[in-house]
Amino acid sequence: MSIASKYGYTPDKEAIDRSLALIAEGLEGIASEKVYKECFGLMDQTTLANDDTPASVRRLVEKVNSFAKDYPSWPLPASICVYPNFASVVASARASRDVHVTTVAGCFPTSQSFLEVKLHEIELAVRGGADEIDIVLALNSFLAGDYAAAGAEIKASRDCIDKVAAELGRPVLLKVILETGLLQTPEAIADASFLAMENGADFIKTSTGKVKVNATPLAAYVMCESIKKYYEATGKKVGFKAAGGIASALDAVCYLSIVGSVLGEEWLGKNLFRFGVSSLANKLLSVVEQKTVAYF
């Protein structure tokens, strides 16, 4: 029996395709300065480059720090997302604690290592100042059909985060990346979604941005329907994060529309919805300012 079936959920691809077609038809009518700015405030502004350095990460933080002065009518990004060794750089350089420190951890982007190594990296990231930890579902177990082992890794990550966060006296969120482009079927995406939520995910996230297929509207829709079913069964609200493959400002509006149509307006704040992006900020700025902007 699939995990999703426990919650009475089976993805209906034909119905989802019809819903996505309607959403696509209406995007131009929804898009506006207000909506683009709303998308901006949901971003985890991200740098996950091989050539990141403390200086380059600090420059990104300084741009976020100065953004409110340079663009006073815009919200700040929800967080700055970096590799775990840069958590302390962001934490020490950010001007506002409203901008969270997000780090990937647990041997991102493949999750191919020993659990002890993953947990130690997660602990160090939280101690370094991370407010949010993004880990990758252990596909080596999940794709082999060993859902129990994949779930146990998420639970161990959750427990590790909670132990260190309690010691430090602050909450820390866990986001679980499903890498939906490698799961191949809506049914597998649904099972991965429920597995992550059952084992303590605060958010489920589409992708690492490091594989050929990253966020897609279909994957997002299935994940949001899974979140809805999980909420109906448990009363727990789990967030959604789209990452990778968000090529335009209108793409962002598409994901905003999916979340709004499936989960409702209460999911449209940064506490329950995020974009993981490196280039979207400039695209949103350029569309609204009606000129090419290369701020970030």
Side-chain angles (χ1 to χ4, degrees), residues 69-288:
K69 175 175 65 69
D70 295 333
Y71 291 90
S73 69
W74 287 71
L76 290 171
S79 83
I80 298 170
C81 180
V82 294
Y83 281 114
N85 48 310
F86 296 119
S88 60
V89 176
V90 180
S92 63
R94 62 176 167 169
S96 172
R97 293 188 67 85
D98 288 339
V99 179
H100 280 189
V101 180
T102 297
T103 76
V104 296
C107 300
F108 176 95
T110 65
S111 194
Q112 296 282 18
S113 189
F114 303 101
L115 179 58
E116 294 85 352
V117 175
K118 299 176 188 181
L119 297 179
H120 190 50
E121 186 177 60
I122 289 167
E123 177 183 352
L124 291 174
V126 175
R127 292 192 184 281
D131 301 302
E132 305 179 8
I133 298 289
D134 290 20
I135 68 168
V136 182
L137 172 68
L139 292 178
N140 49 14
S141 295
F142 186 87
L143 294 178
D146 193 346
Y147 289 4
E153 287 210 9
I154 297 170
K155 180 65 166 57
S157 300
R158 171 85 271 172
D159 291 345
C160 175
I161 288 169
D162 289 347
K163 180 180 178 181
V164 182
E167 179 187 330
L168 298 175
R170 56 184 177 83
V172 178
L173 296 177
L174 170 64
K175 305 196 200 83
V176 178
I177 304 165
L178 307 184
E179 202 68 288
T180 54
L182 300 181
L183 297 182
Q184 298 186 340
T185 69
E187 291 77 14
I189 293 170
D191 278 346
S193 297
F194 286 109
L195 183 71
M197 291 187 286
E198 285 183 343
N199 285 284
D202 295 303
F203 277 73
I204 52 175
K205 175 179 171 182
T206 59
S207 324
T208 60
K210 303 293 187 182
V211 296
K212 289 183 179 180
V213 178
N214 290 290
T216 65
L218 174 62
Y221 208 99
V222 171
M223 291 169 68
C224 288
E225 286 192 324
S226 299
I227 289 169
K228 183 177 182 179
K229 286 290 187 181
Y230 189 75
Y231 173 63
E232 290 171 351
T234 67
K236 180 182 177 182
K237 292 180 178 177
V238 174
F240 168 74
K241 180 174 175 179
I246 304 170
S248 69
L250 208 58
D251 283 347
V253 178
C254 176
Y255 288 105
L256 189 79
S257 299
I258 291 170
V259 173
S261 65
V262 177
L263 292 167
E265 289 191 7
E266 58 192 309
W267 256 266
L268 295 180
K270 65 182 180 179
N271 61 318
L272 289 170
F273 180 29
R274 298 289 180 82
F275 293 106
V277 290
S278 57
S279 62
L280 182 62
N282 287 337
K283 292 170 182 175
L284 292 168
L285 285 164
S286 297
V287 168
V288 173

